Amino acid sequence: MQHRHEAATRTWSKTLFNDVHFLRVATAIGQGPAETDATVLQADLKLTQPAVRRVIVDLEGVRLLDRLDRVSRTEPQRYRRAEGHPFWAAASALLNAAIEVER
């Protein structure tokens, strides 16, 4: 059953955002702490760095994520999500709808 949910989520994500991981990453950002970094998302979602980075770049490009200053180039780049933006609830709703279709 879990595999069917993952397949549906990937299909919806690819169709809507042209990226099979977009909905999972965006929902994790929206439901997680206000500040995060790609390494945390990679570990939590068990995804590769490029998969997470593509979504971060897109979200940063439309100002849904802001890049935070860092002390040194060796520390992970951190981001803060745009709080209260309806996109976060919409991403979560789309992810849930994709799962519900397969039930």
Side-chain angles (χ1 to χ4, degrees):
M1 187 72 118
Q2 181 68 20
H3 179 68
R4 283 182 30 206
H5 295 318
E6 290 174 12
T9 299
R10 292 170 66 94
T11 299
W12 277 51
S13 190
K14 177 69 173 175
T15 301
L16 295 170
F17 299 102
N18 201 33
D19 184 318
V20 296
H21 302 296
F22 195 97
L23 278 175
R24 282 185 61 214
V25 175
T27 299
I29 293 169
Q31 293 178 346
E35 293 182 10
T36 193
D37 68 67
T39 58
V40 170
L41 292 167
Q42 290 167 38
D44 289 351
L45 299 172
K46 296 176 181 51
L47 293 174
T48 64
Q49 188 270 343
V52 171
R53 182 77 185 129
R54 282 191 303 269
V55 177
I56 287 174
V57 166
D58 288 347
L59 295 173
E60 188 180 12
V62 295
R63 309 271 306 159
L64 288 169
L65 283 180
D66 288 320
R67 185 182 298 236
L68 301 175
D69 292 334
R70 53 186 178 169
V71 177
S72 72
R73 300 189 111 225
T74 59
E75 74 176 301
Q77 179 64 59
R78 296 192 53 77
Y79 299 88
R80 179 180 297 124
R81 75 170 172 258
E83 286 296 326
H85 196 284
F87 172 80
W88 305 116
S92 180
L94 286 168
L95 182 75
N96 289 332
I99 292 168
E100 286 298 316
V101 165
E102 290 302 317
R103 287 191 179 183

